[in-house]
């Protein structure tokens, strides 16, 4: 638990930063804010405040998390307590049923978060599909659509306009694949600064990781601990837990930290920006990247643990009968045809 006496701030200079293609720095660890249906907006907002006290400056928000109003009150409080706006890195995301109302959605997030601008705004998923929050993975929208590049670029043009308007500093993608990103990079006036993607020791996405890095796109890694608190609907019997991996447990024992901290150290040392969610352990998750790095041997041992185990499969985005979730991820290297 984050007890008061343990809350001495972590030296900001010790927290690694990522340099984006624009030259701007982004803290290399952020706090996730998706309460996974069981952590209330008030609890998340409390964690945001507490995390800022211990030294977090990067917060990963989204309209669909249903808590931007509560998080916004915390962000205002944090600034009232002396953290300057320019020291914060605030991300929000466009939800799937708003691909044709980017500017209105962004303005709503800005109002809810009580901000004049966002540091980063992401297209949350490349599929423009409505589905009810909290719906089961077997739920299908009758209006579900596949990825249609022309439609995505219409959305992206509005994302670019947000930058022109000064409402957001950077724009990025999330849940993309190499073939989709190739088209976006070809056609974008303002290229994605980041791609947010699932990344943890059991799902390392080496090909996509390499592609984004080579193309000047910073990888932000979600579910960095393997999302042990994710909703039941997002679990399948095949899923594995990186924090239960014997290799991770042994490395954690050696360093005297929780296996979750090993996942975060690995993420930062590999070069991605993890955004662990936590209402109880956020201090440990930031502190662990400021001291006692993993050795080269430990990094290599973790590199061999990849099980290609995607946890967030996205089944609700399937757009026609007879498909499996693999169709969403362009496994053949080509965009799955409509
Ligand atoms: N772009 C996207 O499509 C997308 C998709 C999914 C997630 N995300 C973002 O990524 C964030 C992180 O993903 P996630 O929340 O699914 O999973 P996660 O960060 O891998 O796991 C969070 C869980 O781990 C526990 N935990 C955290 N640190 C711990 C520690 N040091 N020791 C023990 N347990 C620890 C937390 O419990 P406690 O609260 O008890 O510490 C929580 O239950 C989300 O909050 C969201 O911001 C983005």
């Amino acid at each position: 638990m984050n007890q008061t006496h343990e809350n001495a701030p972590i030296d900001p200079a010790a927290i690694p930063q990522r340099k984006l293609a624009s030259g701007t720095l982004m803290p290399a660890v952020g706090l996730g804010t998706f309460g996974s249906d069981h952590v209330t907006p008030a609890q998340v907002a409390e964690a945001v405040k507490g995390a800022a006290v211990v030294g977090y400056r990067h917060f990963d928000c989204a309209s669909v998390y249903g808590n931007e109003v509560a998080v916004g009150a915390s962000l205002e409080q944090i600034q009232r307590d002396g953290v300057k706006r320019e020291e914060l890195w605030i991300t929000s995301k466009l939800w799937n049923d708003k691909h044709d109302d980017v500017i209105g959605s962004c303005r709503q997030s800005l109002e809810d978060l009580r901000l004049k601008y966002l540091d980063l705004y992401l297209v949350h998923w490349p599929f423009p599909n409505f589905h009810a929050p909290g719906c089961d993975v077997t739920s299908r929208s009758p209006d579900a659509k596949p990825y249609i590049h022309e439609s995505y670029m219409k959305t992206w043009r509005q994302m670019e306009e947000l930058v022109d308007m000064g409402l957001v500093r950077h724009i990025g993608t999330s849940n993309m694949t190499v073939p989709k990103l190739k088209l976006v990079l070809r056609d974008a006036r303002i290229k994605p600064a980041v791609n947010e993607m699932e990344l943890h020791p059991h799902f390392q996405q080496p090909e996509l990781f390499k592609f984004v890095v080579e193309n000047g796109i910073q990888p932000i890694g979600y579910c960095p601990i393997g999302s042990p608190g994710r909703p039941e609907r997002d679990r399948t019997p095949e899923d594995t837990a990186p924090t239960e991996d014997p290799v991770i447990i042994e490395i954690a024992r050696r360093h005297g930290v929780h296996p979750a901290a090993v996942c975060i150290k690995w993420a930062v040392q590999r070069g991605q920006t993890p955004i662990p969610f936590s209402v109880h352990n956020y201090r440990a998750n930031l502190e662990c990247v400021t001291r006692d790095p993993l050795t080269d041997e430990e990094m290599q041992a973790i590199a061999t643990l990849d099980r290609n185990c995607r946890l967030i499969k996205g089944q609700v985005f399937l757009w026609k009968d007879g498909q499996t979730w693999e169709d969403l991820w362009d496994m053949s290297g080509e965009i799955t045809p409509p």
Side-chain angles (χ1 to χ4, degrees):
M1 298 283 285
N2 294 280
Q3 304 294 331
T4 314
H5 68 273
E6 294 171 349
N7 274 359
I10 294 162
D11 178 7
I15 299 165
Q17 306 279 321
R18 302 284 181 223
K19 193 179 256 187
L20 305 189
S22 66
T24 307
L25 296 178
M26 172 180 78
V29 180
L31 186 77
T33 65
F34 175 44
S36 292
D37 304 351
H38 63 272
V39 183
T40 65
Q43 288 171 297
V44 174
E46 212 37 49
V48 167
K49 271 194 280 184
V53 171
V54 303
Y56 280 80
R57 294 294 178 262
H58 176 166
F59 297 93
D60 182 80
C61 309
S63 57
V64 76
Y65 300 161
N67 55 21
E68 287 194 326
V69 169
V71 169
S74 296
L75 294 177
E76 192 174 70
Q77 182 68 46
I78 290 164
Q79 292 172 80
R80 235 186 275 133
D81 291 344
V83 178
K84 294 193 185 74
R85 172 66 186 92
E86 54 272 27
E87 293 170 29
L88 293 169
W89 181 276
I90 314 293
T91 300
S92 184
K93 312 187 191 87
L94 175 76
W95 191 235
N96 312 316
D97 57 349
K98 298 287 183 188
H99 278 205
D100 55 0
D101 184 20
V102 177
I103 291 165
S105 292
C106 181
R107 282 194 192 283
Q108 185 64 55
S109 283
L110 285 169
E111 187 184 323
D112 291 347
L113 293 168
R114 307 191 192 187
L115 299 172
K116 291 202 172 60
Y117 69 90
L118 291 166
D119 297 278
L120 178 62
Y121 198 50
L122 306 178
V123 181
H124 207 145
W125 286 84
F127 307 103
N129 297 336
F130 174 79
H131 57 270
C135 69
D136 189 81
V137 292
T138 56
S139 156
R140 296 286 176 268
S141 161
D143 303 320
K145 293 184 189 67
Y147 179 82
I148 298 169
H149 182 61
E150 292 68 30
S151 308
Y152 191 86
M153 286 314 297
K154 276 191 192 152
T155 300
W156 194 257
R157 294 286 172 241
Q158 296 173 64
M159 299 288 283
E160 293 173 329
E161 209 180 321
L162 288 174
V163 178
D164 297 340
M165 293 165 78
L167 296 180
V168 316
R169 297 275 157 97
H170 300 88
I171 51 178
T173 54
S174 179
N175 296 303
M176 291 291 267
T177 61
V178 170
K180 289 183 182 113
L181 273 173
K182 277 186 181 161
L183 293 182
V184 173
L185 283 170
R186 185 195 67 192
D187 294 340
R189 175 169 64 85
I190 302 178
K191 301 204 185 313
V194 314
N195 182 54
E196 193 164 304
M197 55 203 269
E198 182 177 331
L199 287 172
H200 48 79
H202 283 180
F203 193 57
Q204 302 188 15
Q205 303 215 60
E207 193 197 348
L208 180 55
F209 182 88
K210 184 167 176 280
F211 179 84
V212 298
V213 170
E214 285 178 358
N215 283 280
I217 300 172
Q218 281 289 341
I220 294 183
Y222 73 68
C223 303
I225 298 165
S227 199
R230 69 191 181 283
E232 271 314 308
R233 64 173 190 274
D234 283 340
R235 294 173 191 266
T236 67
E238 300 77 45
D239 294 352
T240 59
T243 47
E244 290 168 17
D245 191 302
V247 174
I248 301 278
I249 290 173
E250 172 52 23
I251 296 173
R253 192 196 57 74
R254 232 180 278 150
H255 287 262
V257 294
H258 190 280
V262 173
C263 295
I264 295 166
K265 281 170 173 293
W266 168 78
V268 171
Q269 287 180 234
R270 184 195 192 207
Q272 65 236 29
T273 294
I275 43 170
F277 174 86
S278 180
V279 293
H280 299 119
N281 300 284
Y282 48 78
R283 182 188 175 93
N285 293 347
L286 187 64
E287 199 160 41
C288 71
V289 303
T290 65
R291 56 164 78 141
D292 193 23
L294 303 179
T295 64
D296 290 347
E297 291 72 30
E298 288 167 340
M299 288 298 291
Q300 278 157 22
I302 297 174
T304 67
L305 300 181
D306 192 7
R307 296 188 185 188
N308 198 19
C309 177
R310 188 187 287 280
L311 301 174
I312 306 300
K313 300 174 182 67
Q315 295 93 328
V316 293
F317 297 109
L318 292 170
W319 62 88
K320 65 180 182 189
D321 290 342
Q323 291 184 305
T324 64
W325 62 264
E326 285 87 347
D327 290 315
L328 299 168
W329 301 101
D330 306 336
M331 310 283 267
S332 68
E334 303 286 328
I335 295 177
T336 303

